[in-house]
Amino acid sequence: MIFIFERIQLISHFLLNRKICMSEILLSELKLGEQGTIHHFNDENIALKLMEMGCLPGELVTLQRFAPMGDPMAITVAGYSLSLRKKEAACVVLQQP
């Protein structure tokens, strides 16, 4: 278990603090039905939490719906649905095709 935790820490550290380029968008900025591939994370603590839930770099993410007040949002990732607050989603940088 410790090995997995250390590996996730190394991955998250490597993927943090990259600059956003033209083809990248934050998960919080997606519109309904849009997709993107997870590229990296902007916050190490949230990155670890999301990676434990299957949000790994390279995974395809689809925005399914928003709650009535706009927060949280429901996404599909790795074959299942996941609800995230916009604050958490703003830490996920996606690449769009």
Side-chain angles (χ1 to χ4, degrees), residues 14-20 24 39-42 93:
F14 175 76
L15 296 171
L16 291 174
N17 300 322
R18 295 186 182 206
K19 294 181 180 178
I20 296 177
E24 295 179 343
H39 187 254
H40 65 274
F41 304 92
N42 293 330
V93 180

Side-chain angles (χ1 to χ4, degrees), residues 19-90:
K19 294 181 180 178
I20 296 177
C21 66
M22 296 291 266
S23 65
E24 295 179 343
I25 186 171
L26 296 176
L27 177 56
S28 61
E29 297 171 349
L30 281 183
K31 294 177 178 57
L32 288 177
E34 286 187 332
Q35 295 182 331
T37 304
I38 298 174
H39 187 254
H40 65 274
F41 304 92
N42 293 330
D43 182 292
E44 187 173 339
N45 294 326
I46 292 176
L48 180 61
K49 175 183 169 184
L50 294 175
M51 286 194 291
E52 288 174 343
M53 292 188 284
C55 294
L56 300 171
E59 287 287 340
L60 183 66
V61 176
T62 306
L63 180 58
Q64 295 296 320
R65 62 182 154 271
F66 289 101
M69 298 300 287
D71 196 28
M73 58 197 311
I75 61 169
T76 300
V77 62
Y80 69 95
S81 292
L82 178 66
S83 293
L84 296 175
R85 297 269 177 213
K86 282 195 175 181
K87 179 182 176 185
E88 297 166 331

